[in-house]
Amino acid sequence: MKIDIVEDLKNVTENLDKLDNYFNSMSELESNVDMKLSDLYHCIENNQLKTNECYRIVKEIKKQRQIRRNLKNDYELMSVYKNNHARLNNENNRKLFMAELYKRKKELNKKYKNRVYSEEELDNILRGKNDRKNTENHA
C-alpha cells in the first residue's frame, strides 16, 4: 500500500483548520440563533397571531432550537478535542481520545427533563386545557 505522505498530511491539516475555524465561530453562530429566537418570542408577545401564524412561528422556533442544539452538541465534542489535542501525538493516545469522544457523543441528546412544567401540564396546554390559575398575569 503506497501512501502520499504530503497529501495525507495536507488533508489532516486542512481538516484541523476547518475544525478550528468552526470552533472559533460557534459563539457567533449560537448568538445569532439566540437573537433569532428573541425576535420570534417578541413577535409572539407583541402581536395578535392567527392560528396558522402561530403554527408557522412555532415551526420556526423549533427549527432554530434544533440548530442551537446541534451547535451545543458540536461544542461538547469540540471541547473533548480541544482538551485532548496535545495527546494526539501517538497511536495509543489517539485511541484513548477517540474512546472519550465516542463516550461524550453517546451522552448527548438525552431526553430533556422539565424544570417547571409537569408532563401532564404540558399535555393540558397542548390540548387547550390550560389551568387559568397558572396562566394569569401576576405583574
Side-chain angles (χ1 to χ4, degrees):
M1 175 175 149
K2 175 79 171 111
I3 64 171
D4 184 337
I5 294 172
V6 172
E7 188 62 29
D8 286 351
L9 289 174
K10 176 184 165 230
N11 290 335
V12 168
T13 303
E14 287 173 353
N15 284 329
L16 290 174
D17 288 346
K18 184 170 72 171
L19 287 170
D20 286 339
N21 289 334
Y22 179 55
F23 182 77
N24 292 334
S25 70
M26 286 178 139
S27 177
E28 184 179 335
L29 293 170
E30 185 177 342
S31 177
N32 188 24
V33 169
D34 287 342
M35 288 187 290
K36 286 180 178 181
L37 287 167
S38 181
D39 289 349
L40 294 168
Y41 298 151
H42 282 92
C43 179
I44 292 168
E45 178 183 357
N46 297 326
N47 294 291
Q48 201 61 6
L49 301 174
K50 298 176 186 163
T51 303
N52 60 337
E53 294 169 330
C54 290
Y55 169 78
R56 288 185 193 109
I57 208 157
V58 168
K59 190 175 177 181
E60 184 63 22
I61 290 171
K62 180 175 178 149
K63 176 183 165 189
Q64 295 304 318
R65 290 293 305 169
Q66 288 171 328
I67 291 169
R68 191 173 192 283
R69 172 56 46 213
N70 289 335
L71 286 168
K72 290 284 196 181
N73 288 349
D74 287 351
Y75 183 83
E76 285 296 316
L77 296 173
M78 285 299 297
S79 293
V80 172
Y81 162 69
K82 289 292 188 181
N83 292 333
N84 292 282
H85 75 278
R87 295 175 43 190
L88 298 177
N89 61 352
N90 74 51
E91 189 175 350
N92 287 333
N93 285 345
R94 286 190 292 270
K95 289 178 183 174
L96 292 172
F97 162 71
M98 289 306 298
E100 187 173 341
L101 191 63
Y102 287 129
K103 178 182 173 190
R104 181 69 59 90
K105 184 177 181 180
K106 194 174 187 179
E107 293 170 355
L108 299 174
N109 293 323
K110 289 187 177 178
K111 187 174 191 243
Y112 178 78
K113 293 181 182 175
N114 297 333
R115 295 178 184 176
V116 178
Y117 287 104
S118 70
E119 288 296 324
E120 181 181 356
E121 289 170 320
L122 288 176
D123 188 48
N124 284 339
I125 290 169
L126 292 172
R127 292 175 182 213
K129 298 179 181 178
N130 276 351
D131 180 0
R132 294 263 181 229
K133 290 183 286 187
N134 292 332
T135 59
E136 290 176 356
N137 185 0
H138 297 285

